[in-house]
Amino acid sequence: MPNSIFDEFFQAEARMFLLATIRIALAEDGSDLTSLGLFSESDMAQAMIVAKQDTVVAGLPIIPMVLEFGGDQCQTHLNVDDGERVSAGTMVAAVRGPAIQLLKTERVIMNFLCHLSGIVNLTAQYVEALKGTKTQLLDTRKTLPGLRFPEKYAVLAGGGKNHRLTLSDMLMLKDNHIDRAGSIAQAVSALLHAHSPCPPIEVECRTIEEVEEASQCEIQRIMLDNMDTETIRTALGIIPGTIETELSGNVSLENIRELAELGPGYISVGKLTHSAPSSDFSMQFVPLS
């Protein structure tokens, strides 16, 4: 994924949230008394950021954004694009600037890069497992507070798709909504009357009876939640072709291919963001060139 996609994704609200998160991350660290006690403001340094494992990479364009909070003296060179797979030992980026600034920002940069690369790496594995099927991989809103946009960007960089960035992108009727509203039909009718134009509506179904009811409503998508294989097969046979289908719940790398071969349009996987293991990178200081 070329880094220009990063700029396209992080516009307006998304960029505002990312900058706010960077600002908080730097503020959490407080003043770097160690570096301030060892180096003068004029001491310049250079460092390489190196992958310590084979991984797909995401979050590199965040590096200069972090460094810019300390002024305009730092320079960043990105050697690869987000979404690119690299081998252990690859230098993915180089930075140059005041030693105090590089040391102050080192851990914040590494935290973003390791976490987002972990998400893109896991996403790419799921995408590979779906290759050859018609099913598309979706993320969920199971993201860390404050990191919604970076994490969902990493899913895109890994070849997945975003389910919805905010609650207003798609109106999703989950079990609590339906139980409180009285029925699926009542809930859908209320939404269609409350919003004009009404955003797309998705209904989460737990039983075949709910699938039958939802299939009669004016909605865009039905999610089959935590159903076994035979129930999914039955449900997919009921849903008309005019309504999109999504599977969710208990999806893993081991069973996603089998689920995709049942024919759903989408499979959503919360693990992409809430359980992806971090990739390993390090920042290594080198002599000034």
Side-chain angles (χ1 to χ4, degrees):
M1 173 176 282
N3 293 330
S4 59
I5 305 298
F6 179 94
D7 294 329
E8 182 179 322
F9 183 89
F10 284 102
Q11 295 284 333
E13 185 180 49
R15 185 175 182 84
M16 176 191 72
F17 280 119
L18 176 57
L19 289 171
T21 302
I22 292 172
R23 186 178 295 108
I24 291 170
L26 291 169
E28 283 178 330
D29 267 338
S31 183
D32 184 5
L33 299 181
T34 305
S35 298
L36 289 169
L38 292 173
F39 309 108
S40 70
E41 293 182 1
S42 61
D43 280 337
M44 300 297 289
Q46 183 170 284
M48 303 183 304
I49 298 175
V50 178
K52 299 179 69 175
Q53 67 176 85
D54 296 350
T55 184
V56 186
V57 183
L60 290 172
I62 294 177
I63 297 172
M65 296 177 72
V66 174
L67 291 170
E68 284 170 7
F69 273 84
D72 58 1
Q73 298 183 68
C74 293
Q75 299 174 329
T76 305
H77 178 76
L78 306 181
N79 291 346
V80 300
D81 288 330
D82 270 15
E84 189 171 333
R85 184 175 294 278
V86 301
S87 57
T90 300
M91 182 177 72
V92 298
V95 293
R96 180 189 178 102
I100 290 174
Q101 181 63 8
L102 298 188
L103 290 163
K104 160 72 175 174
T105 58
E106 176 184 2
R107 179 41 53 195
V108 171
I109 289 171
M110 290 296 98
N111 284 347
F112 275 108
L113 185 60
C114 294
H115 179 55
L116 298 186
S117 294
I119 292 173
V120 71
N121 201 47
L122 183 61
T123 300
Q125 294 176 49
Y126 275 91
V127 170
E128 180 64 26
L130 288 174
K131 189 170 291 185
T133 73
K134 72 171 189 178
T135 304
Q136 298 185 71
L137 178 69
L138 296 177
D139 55 22
T140 70
R141 286 193 306 114
K142 294 176 181 177
T143 55
L144 289 173
L147 289 175
R148 166 75 50 78
F149 289 92
E151 290 184 347
K152 281 183 170 281
Y153 163 75
V155 170
L156 284 182
K161 294 186 178 298
N162 297 149
H163 185 281
R164 53 179 180 163
L165 288 168
T166 71
L167 292 171
S168 61
D169 293 333
M170 175 179 274
L171 310 185
M172 188 168 177
L173 289 170
K174 299 175 72 68
D175 52 1
N176 288 331
H177 296 109
I178 295 166
D179 294 343
R180 179 67 177 170
S183 71
I184 291 172
Q186 287 176 290
V188 171
S189 178
L191 288 178
L192 292 173
H193 281 89
H195 304 290
S196 182
C198 187
I201 299 173
E202 177 171 12
V203 177
E204 178 184 278
C205 293
R206 298 159 289 184
T207 66
I208 292 298
E209 291 72 26
E210 288 185 342
V211 172
E212 291 172 337
E213 183 181 1
S215 295
Q216 302 303 312
C217 296
E218 188 180 338
I219 59 176
Q220 181 179 10
R221 187 181 303 171
I222 290 176
M223 174 194 287
L224 307 179
D225 185 47
N226 285 298
M227 292 183 178
D228 59 48
T229 301
E230 286 309 310
T231 307
I232 291 171
R233 185 177 284 110
T234 300
L236 291 175
I238 294 171
I239 300 170
T242 54
I243 298 178
E244 297 173 347
T245 55
E246 177 185 340
L247 305 186
S248 183
N250 298 314
V251 180
S252 67
L253 278 171
E254 290 68 37
N255 68 9
I256 193 170
R257 180 78 187 196
E258 177 186 355
L259 293 172
E261 289 174 349
L262 296 173
Y266 302 94
I267 295 179
S268 54
V269 181
K271 293 177 183 177
L272 299 180
T273 49
H274 72 60
S275 296
S278 292
S279 294
D280 196 5
F281 293 84
S282 67
M283 183 185 287
Q284 303 170 5
F285 281 69
V286 296
L288 284 170
S289 57

